[in-house]
Amino acid sequence: MERIIAIFGPGLLGGSLALAVQQRIPGAKLRLWARRENAEAGIRSRGIQADFFTDAAAAAEGASLIILCTPVETMATLAEQITQGQLADDCLITDVGSVKGSVVRALHPILGSRFIGSHPMAGSEKTGIEVARADLFQNATCLLTPIGAENAELPRLKNFWQALGCRVLQMSPEEHDEKVARISHLPHMMAAVTTLAALRTDLSAVACVANGFRDTTRVAGGDPGLWTGIALENRPALTAQLRAAADTLTELLEILDKPDEEELRRFLAEAQSLRRTVPAAVS
Amino acid sequence: MERIIAIFGPGLLGGSLALAVQQRIPGAKLRLWARRENAEAGIRSRGIQADFFTDAAAAAEGASLIILCTPVETMATLAEQITQGQLADDCLITDVGSVKGSVVRALHPILGSRFIGSHPMAGSEKTGIEVARADLFQNATCLLTPIGAENAELPRLKNFWQALGCRVLQMSPEEHDEKVARISHLPHMMAAVTTLAALRTDLSAVACVANGFRDTTRVAGGDPGLWTGIALENRPALTAQLRAAADTLTELLEILDKPDEEELRRFLAEAQSLRRTVPAAVS
């Protein structure tokens, strides 16, 4: 059971974490850190009862669990600031970043084994504390990426995410980045590519849009700054996936050029059968 | 007001049309034609009160409105069979196919000006009368593609779709195929490409799937036979869209290869701003 939980970065994820902790771990004292003073109003307006900080070292001091919810490229600087204060002996630090290799490589030298990466696979194309919700993590998969020897604090981190309703999986940072490139970063970029190809040269086509287009391109509405950071941090794995997609698109164009009806049916049937392995969302 | 409505092909669309007509146009007599006798059981099990036919000419005889809901590549043969019987003087014939250029070119010589193409933009990745529902067309956009001179029967066809809850737009068959390639056929193929690229070489990644992947690839679960037909019937427009997508993907890969952070942000911001022009679904 955590004594003091300090959340850094009150956006969609940090705000949802605060709401979820308040609802499901009522014994824990809650702290929220933001870069700017004026973030406090948004936090209060969502009914979050937390001590508010803009001083990172003060927010971290004595906390039993610290969760970094800022963009991945800002985390190393924040970690340096946190270590300026007096960290509790049992202080466990994690993050919610969508990339783990570069984050772990950057934070481990600063924070040591008290840091274990987390990636709760929850979010939205919308951003900001206005859209935060207490049930964001309910039934989400949370990927934990400990490194090196058995980490004694891993069960504590698992318990925390499970208390918020997550299903927890464990893998190496490298395996995480490869798998997440496949099933999160690739689809995000493909949604952007599809949106651009469809609408760039004829915006009037939007009048005919139905749910197929809405769903296929939904995540292209996500924050460009956030996704630029993610794409650059996970560039090698993402690029490999995008090249695989480009090859698959070429394969489809060659089938259509012939055209080969049987091959096209096989191509679409293979996609359908792979898509059928995806478990339905639990709500 | 239609006297007798004959629906050909009791699948998701035909079955949903029958349920919707029954609910919203209770004065009309309903007929359903299927290729096989054993389709009748499915129709009855969904509570559809219709006269059932396997003889196309008999099903069409005396009907005021005939709606073809079979795969696009079968419609010409069906149209030939329909004209063997005695069509009513006021008989209006339409279809619900996803492609209009090839359908209109095939059916107009057979049926003349009594034929006007329709494309209700409603459906699902699921197929069959089991998933048919009376409200499938509620708030959907229906594209009508009359050709040649002013068609006196066009207002009747508009009234029909509006009675089922559709918003009606009118355009030429060629404009239809180009726009629908952009916002329906392209996203479908991109969902298949994304699914194949992500899962073909590592099915275990499916354990990490979240809603971003689910939505981006949902339509890849659609029927391969149906979509093979659609892709081949609309091959020129679809191929042009897929080439645009391949070029856009190359553009993204070049940005990532440099890597150019500012260009990547611009690329994603352009996609976001185009995606924001898409109206939300009305439910």
Side-chain angles (χ1 to χ4, degrees), chain A residues 112-131:
Chain A
S113 64
R114 59 168 89 240
F115 175 78
I116 304 173
S118 303
H119 179 196
M121 306 275 293
S124 163
E125 73 282 11
K126 297 177 185 131
T127 52
I129 198 158
E130 303 74 26
V131 289

Side-chain angles (χ1 to χ4, degrees), chain B residues 194-279:
Chain B
T194 304
T195 302
L196 287 165
L199 299 180
R200 233 177 195 175
T201 51
D202 179 11
L203 195 50
S204 76
V206 99
C208 306
V209 156
N211 285 336
F213 188 85
R214 280 195 190 91
D215 284 358
T216 310
T217 62
R218 178 180 61 82
V219 295
D223 181 52
L226 184 74
W227 280 92
T228 296
I230 292 170
L232 293 180
E233 294 276 331
N234 201 21
R235 196 160 70 101
L238 173 60
T239 302
Q241 285 307 310
L242 287 170
R243 288 197 203 291
D247 290 348
T248 311
L249 189 47
T250 302
E251 179 187 341
L252 173 59
L253 275 163
E254 284 169 1
I255 295 171
L256 284 167
D257 274 345
K258 290 176 189 173
D260 187 324
E261 184 175 343
E262 266 321 297
E263 260 196 82
L264 181 55
R265 196 186 307 267
R266 260 200 302 276
F267 180 93
L268 294 174
E270 189 188 352
Q272 182 195 43
S273 105
L274 287 171
R275 182 59 181 77
R276 282 182 172 168
T277 66
V278 174

